[in-house]
Amino acid sequence: MHQITVIGLGAGDFEQLPMGVYKTLKNAPKIYVRTEDHPVLDELKEEGVTFESFDLIYEKHGEFLPVYQEIVDTLKGYAEHDDVIYAVPGHPLVAEMTVELLIEEEKQGNVKLKIEGGQSFLDAVFATLKIDPIDGFQLVDGATFSIHHVNMNNHLLIAQVYDQFSASEVKLTLMDKYHAEYPVTIVTAAGSKQESVITVPLYELDHVAEISNLTTVYVPPVTKREDALREWSTFRDIMSTMRGPNGCEWDKAQTHETMKRYMLEEMHEALQAIDEQDDEHMIEEFGDMLMLVFMQAQIGEDAGFFNLEDLLAGAAEKMMRRHPHVFGDTVVNSVEDINANWEKIKKEEHEAAGANDAPIMDGEYRAMSSLQTAYNYQRRAAKLGFEWPEDEQYWWNFEEELSDFKDAALANNENKMDQYSNALIAFVNLGRHYKISAEEAMLHANVKYAKRFGKMEARVKESGKEWKDFSVDELLQFWAEAKG
């Protein structure tokens, strides 16, 4: 097995090329280069250095990874017969996918690899922009980076922005976090005689002509909280500030217990927004729910018991543990398989926690909702096989309990509360059998009732009369119109 030596051509022109790299290139019998589009190669060509580029491979594929893989496979083939010198732009270990693939091949014992120096474009870019990387910076690939991994408080350098199309893709990705007017700087051929530095609003990023394979896009860190409202750390900082020494007295007075009522209210409002199919309302209500979670995490952190990271780690670990068919090797063939596996994992968790001897209904109680508690109890019992085998038996049970309540109520018997509760829980069970949550149904009914009553109220106001001036039959007519 022969050796593949990787050499960096630097980030700019010939004058920036280190002497050691120059001598290696000058004395090499043959050089393979990823791309011929580099200013150093123009100078070397004039000095009689010959090389073979892989530019034709780019024309064969519609995306980069197959290009890089074919280049690596070709180099491996050459190395079977002779030592190979392979030259890449910049430094071999900075933003160079072919070298990453070669390193993986070396780990598997498929190639013998040596990596030599070369000036990284980062040094020149830092000097041009006059920024200190110790303040925190991120280097990302413009073709593959996710906005979810970008920290707006860091210096952000985006490589692989080589034409208007790639610049447009980067712009659209950045605009998921940064506002359209946010300033970005386009640096091309940093540190060379052809250096170009242009600062434009983000929305103009793909309108600049000076973009090439030597271009790096720089996004400065945010300096104002208002510019970073889409950053998770900003939201956390807001919650910390509200409960801090100079914060809000109301927020500082809150506890886990006092927040319970607000969590219940916001949940109901979120469910209403879902029923309305109103995206803007959902954004608002889901945001309120998120705010309450952050508030509870901040209360826990202030008390020294837990923090937001504990919540994230616990939830993430649970989701991965309970989805082995997604994050592991478990094979499932249906939703039923998934549910069965979920229950099996939950049972194992309870056993590991020493909860084997706890009553079956432990964990199903919901203090803020008796309807949801009833639904949970009956769902749990059904999973153990305690339910009617036929649809008609659910109806028969409900009708029997309703009849018993009617008799008790009309006779004003002392057990009418007991009979009513029997009818109510039978009705909850009937809904559960037909995949209807009693809690959600009640919330839905309340929304409808309030809207219809609002229409009745409008009719009464339009008449100029008082409520007492209308008969029950007239009010029922208003109600029927509101329903229609």
Side-chain angles (χ1 to χ4, degrees), residues 199-216:
T199 299
V200 297
L202 176 57
Y203 72 88
E204 291 186 5
L205 175 58
D206 53 346
H207 299 163
V208 178
E210 292 83 355
I211 293 180
S212 71
N213 65 321
L214 298 178
T215 292
T216 301

Side-chain angles (χ1 to χ4, degrees), residues 181-194:
E181 297 285 343
Y182 200 79
V184 296
T185 300
I186 302 159
V187 183
T188 301
S192 72
K193 292 179 290 187
Q194 291 79 36

Side-chain angles (χ1 to χ4, degrees), residues 213-278:
N213 65 321
L214 298 178
T215 292
T216 301
V217 174
Y218 169 63
V219 185
V222 293
T223 57
K224 295 188 297 184
R225 178 178 286 158
E226 292 75 12
D227 288 335
L229 296 182
R230 293 174 180 264
E231 183 66 60
W232 287 97
S233 59
T234 301
F235 195 28
R236 185 177 191 175
D237 179 64
I238 289 172
M239 303 307 297
S240 177
T241 301
M242 291 196 313
R243 285 182 52 84
N246 299 317
C248 171
E249 293 303 320
W250 185 90
D251 289 291
K252 288 191 283 186
Q254 298 312 303
T255 66
H256 295 308
E257 290 72 24
T258 62
M259 296 298 293
K260 286 169 58 177
R261 56 171 291 197
Y262 304 111
M263 297 186 77
L264 186 63
E265 288 174 7
E266 294 300 342
M267 176 61 76
H268 287 175
E269 290 177 11
L271 293 174
Q272 179 182 341
I274 293 173
D275 289 339
E276 294 170 352
Q277 297 185 349
D278 185 334

Side-chain angles (χ1 to χ4, degrees), residues 26-76:
K26 186 72 174 175
N27 297 326
K30 187 171 184 180
I31 304 167
Y32 296 96
V33 298
R34 178 166 63 77
T35 177
E36 193 174 341
D37 187 14
H38 195 284
V40 166
L41 296 178
D42 294 334
E43 298 273 358
L44 290 174
K45 189 186 297 183
E46 292 179 4
E47 295 191 15
V49 177
T50 60
F51 48 84
E52 179 182 323
S53 82
F54 293 118
D55 285 324
L56 290 177
I57 296 179
Y58 284 85
E59 300 175 10
K60 294 171 55 178
H61 302 282
E63 52 187 30
F64 286 111
L65 188 56
V67 172
Y68 300 146
Q69 190 61 62
E70 183 171 342
I71 291 174
V72 168
D73 292 340
T74 304
L75 290 169
K76 283 168 57 182

Side-chain angles (χ1 to χ4, degrees), residues 3-4 31 88 118 149 160 182 246 253 283 297 320 334 480:
Q3 179 173 280
I4 299 176
I31 304 167
V88 297
H149 299 150
Q160 305 289 7
Y182 200 79
N246 299 317
I283 290 172
M320 293 176 67
S334 65

Side-chain angles (χ1 to χ4, degrees), residues 382-434:
K383 287 180 179 178
L384 297 173
F386 185 63
E387 64 175 340
W388 303 110
E390 304 292 339
D391 289 355
E392 282 301 320
Q393 291 174 290
Y394 287 89
W395 290 98
W396 168 83
N397 176 247
F398 168 61
E399 289 164 359
E400 182 183 49
E401 298 294 355
L402 182 62
S403 176
D404 289 345
F405 167 61
K406 181 179 179 180
D407 292 343
L410 293 177
N412 199 26
N413 291 341
E414 291 184 0
N415 71 337
K416 61 184 177 183
M417 166 70 81
D418 193 49
Q419 295 297 340
Y420 178 69
S421 67
N422 291 342
L424 191 58
I425 201 166
F427 196 43
V428 170
N429 199 34
L430 180 64
R432 181 199 60 80
H433 177 67
Y434 288 101

